[in-house]
Amino acid sequence: MSIRVFLVDDHAVFRSGVRAELSREADMAVVGEAGGVGEAVAGIKTARPDVVLLDVHMPDGGGVAVLQGIDPGPVCLALSVSDAAEDVIAVIRAGARGYVTKTISGPELAEGIRRVAAGDAVFSPRLAGFVLDSFTGRSPVPEPQLDPELDSLTPRELEVLRLLARGYTYREIAETLFISVKTVETHASNVLRKTQQSNRNALTRWAHRRRID
């Protein structure tokens, strides 16, 4: 029997790419997709998938909101550009069975889907440590401090900021996030304005001081 997969991501191009990758797998079938929380909750209830591939950051609430809105049944595997500890722990606490980043290859993603469908937990390298530390109490994620400039950023702007801080070019960011270079430039301009930084070098230092990398 095929593993029934539902895709949740606010970028249609990314969903198309994942759908194309999974179409090569004889034991998988994509039974639905959604670009927002409300659409995802309704679609999952109708399609009754075995596994939900779930983006963490979306404009209307993100992966945690989807997890909170669906009934028990499908297994959820978070698939995100973010590898921040707070994102990993938030979705696992909300009920996801694993967390992989969007740098994963198509065959690796398919294997991750098989594993969570079989009851295993799946994490990209180094992310499992965040969960173990959090749940054993050795290194809990602290409550975030108030930071008006950081809080003013949208989820997409925060993703762009994180990649900028890692030294990605605009083109590399565009390819990673499946958006145009022009859109990256717009987000980067908004980030500079909201954080009150004069250039990319200053922005990178600002991000590193806040451990955004």
Side-chain angles (χ1 to χ4, degrees):
M1 292 180 63
S2 293
I3 300 172
R4 297 165 57 83
V5 181
F6 194 99
L7 311 178
V8 181
D9 194 286
D10 62 330
H11 291 91
V13 174
F14 181 76
R15 296 198 308 271
S16 296
V18 174
R19 181 186 284 272
E21 287 287 346
L22 298 185
S23 69
R24 300 170 183 160
E25 305 296 329
D27 60 341
M28 290 180 195
V30 176
V31 297
E33 61 181 72
V37 173
E39 183 186 3
V41 170
I44 291 167
K45 289 180 179 178
T46 300
R48 302 179 66 84
D50 301 305
V51 176
V52 177
L53 285 182
L54 186 61
D55 193 12
V56 173
H57 293 299
M58 293 183 288
D60 56 351
V64 171
V66 174
L67 286 160
Q68 292 172 340
I70 62 175
D71 297 325
V75 178
C76 294
L77 175 62
L79 176 61
S80 176
V81 69
S82 170
D83 61 1
E86 58 269 26
D87 289 335
V88 178
I89 292 167
V91 294
I92 296 303
R93 284 178 172 163
R97 188 65 183 170
Y99 193 117
V100 295
T101 61
K102 289 182 177 178
T103 57
I104 195 170
S105 69
E108 289 172 335
L109 178 60
E111 183 58 25
I113 291 170
R114 293 186 187 98
R115 288 177 57 192
V116 294
D120 291 341
V122 175
F123 295 92
S124 288
R126 94 184 185 86
L127 301 188
F130 296 154
V131 179
L132 289 173
D133 288 345
S134 175
F135 283 91
T136 58
R138 288 197 299 268
S139 180
V141 174
E143 289 295 322
Q145 296 180 347
L146 293 177
D147 190 329
E149 294 171 347
L150 184 59
D151 291 344
S152 71
L153 301 179
T154 67
R156 176 58 78 202
E157 288 167 353
L158 188 57
E159 288 177 336
V160 170
L161 170 60
R162 185 171 283 119
L163 294 175
L164 285 170
R166 293 175 184 171
Y168 281 49
T169 66
Y170 284 177
R171 182 168 298 279
E172 289 170 337
I173 295 172
E175 292 172 352
T176 299
L177 300 181
F178 294 91
I179 57 180
S180 70
V181 173
K182 185 171 183 177
T183 300
V184 173
E185 292 173 349
T186 298
H187 287 314
S189 177
N190 289 339
V191 170
L192 285 169
R193 174 176 52 81
K194 290 181 178 181
T195 59
Q196 302 180 51
Q197 302 304 304
S198 58
N199 55 52
R200 180 168 178 172
N201 288 336
L203 179 65
T204 299
R205 291 192 296 271
W206 183 91
H208 286 171
R209 287 196 299 271
R210 289 160 174 79
R211 298 185 178 180
I212 303 170
D213 52 17

